[in-house]
Amino acid sequence: MPALEPQTRFLLRGSALLVGLLTLWWFALLGPMLYLLKGSAGSFVHIQENASGDWTLRVPLERILPATPQQPVAQQIHSIDFDMPRGDAIAFTFSIPVFWAIVLAAPGVRRSLRPLLLGTALMFAFELITLLIFTRITARSVVAQLAGSEDATGKWIRHVGEYLIVSVLPYVIPFVVALSLHRELRREIFLWSKAADIPPASIPGGRPERRRAKKQRPD
């Protein structure tokens, strides 16, 4: 049976680790991660967890709502309250097990310990920052709806920002952090890309050479 190529072994290890770590995350680590995330984010926004597990957030935001036909007097607001379902909060813990799977799939477990610990701290900081940015975007969207002055450009910018935070960055940042911290992983991937660009060497004495030799053979 032929030996597997390094790229194939890395993908198989990474896939198995991703399934295993996501299972561990869902059944054992999700609760502590949400508790730690809520406690850290609580230093910047007020978060109250409901009995259902959903969060009620109060985001500080100083705005003056202009007078409207329904509200003839302008209003001064100091904060915005909104609810975040538990499923949306879970999305801000997803990147850490993905990062673990990428780092542990690299050859050399001992050489992966330092990038694993440092990268975990960076990934937690990333998830905390994205959660805070998400709360600001949501609060500004609520204010725009209350004020009745939601312009198309601002709405589009907020929509793009929310899309990047929820659907793009959680899948991209784990790879960026892993490649930045893990020297061996970075070296292996770049060596694979270089090897893929090298064309296969021609075999001496192949068919073109034999044909030319036949043409030059004297009668």
Side-chain angles (χ1 to χ4, degrees):
M1 182 177 179
L4 297 176
E5 295 182 356
Q7 300 94 318
T8 305
R9 292 198 300 267
F10 174 77
L11 291 176
L12 290 176
R13 286 196 306 270
S15 300
L17 284 167
L18 182 61
V19 173
L21 289 171
L22 285 178
T23 303
L24 178 66
W25 163 73
W26 183 261
F27 289 103
L29 301 179
L30 183 57
M33 282 185 175
L34 284 175
Y35 178 81
L36 184 60
L37 182 65
K38 181 170 70 71
S40 301
S43 302
F44 305 92
V45 296
H46 180 267
I47 302 177
Q48 181 180 355
E49 186 172 358
N50 305 324
S52 60
D54 299 340
W55 291 1
T56 298
L57 297 96
R58 175 170 296 172
V59 182
L61 191 65
E62 297 290 337
R63 288 289 187 276
I64 297 178
L65 297 180
T68 61
Q70 294 78 15
Q71 185 71 36
V73 180
Q75 285 185 305
Q76 173 77 40
I77 61 173
H78 304 284
S79 62
I80 294 292
D81 294 359
F82 65 91
D83 293 331
M84 174 182 289
R86 177 180 171 85
D88 292 348
I90 288 174
F92 292 95
T93 65
F94 170 78
S95 298
I96 290 181
V98 175
F99 169 77
W100 289 344
I102 298 171
V103 173
L104 294 177
V109 177
R110 292 184 178 179
R111 290 174 293 183
S112 301
L113 291 179
R114 183 176 180 276
L116 183 69
L117 296 176
L118 180 58
T120 300
L122 291 176
M123 290 304 305
F124 179 78
F126 158 75
E127 291 182 337
L128 175 61
I129 292 172
T130 53
L131 173 61
L132 296 176
I133 294 175
F134 178 81
T135 60
R136 299 292 295 184
I137 292 175
T138 304
R140 289 178 181 274
S141 298
V142 173
V143 169
Q145 294 176 1
L146 292 176
S149 59
E150 191 172 14
D151 61 296
T153 302
K155 183 178 180 180
W156 180 83
I157 292 175
R158 289 190 296 271
H159 177 74
V160 171
E162 182 177 345
Y163 175 77
L164 291 175
I165 289 173
V166 175
S167 303
V168 177
L169 294 180
Y171 302 93
V172 174
I173 295 301
F175 288 91
V176 175
V177 174
L179 290 175
S180 301
L181 297 179
H182 203 301
R183 182 186 306 173
E184 284 74 16
L185 177 62
R186 185 168 63 247
R187 182 185 304 165
E188 289 288 337
I189 291 180
F190 288 152
L191 285 177
W192 295 339
S193 61
K194 290 180 181 179
D197 294 337
I198 298 176
S202 59
I203 302 175
R207 292 182 180 178
E209 288 76 4
R210 288 200 295 268
R211 289 175 182 172
R212 288 196 294 268
K214 289 182 180 179
K215 291 181 180 180
Q216 297 174 0
R217 183 180 301 173
D219 295 335

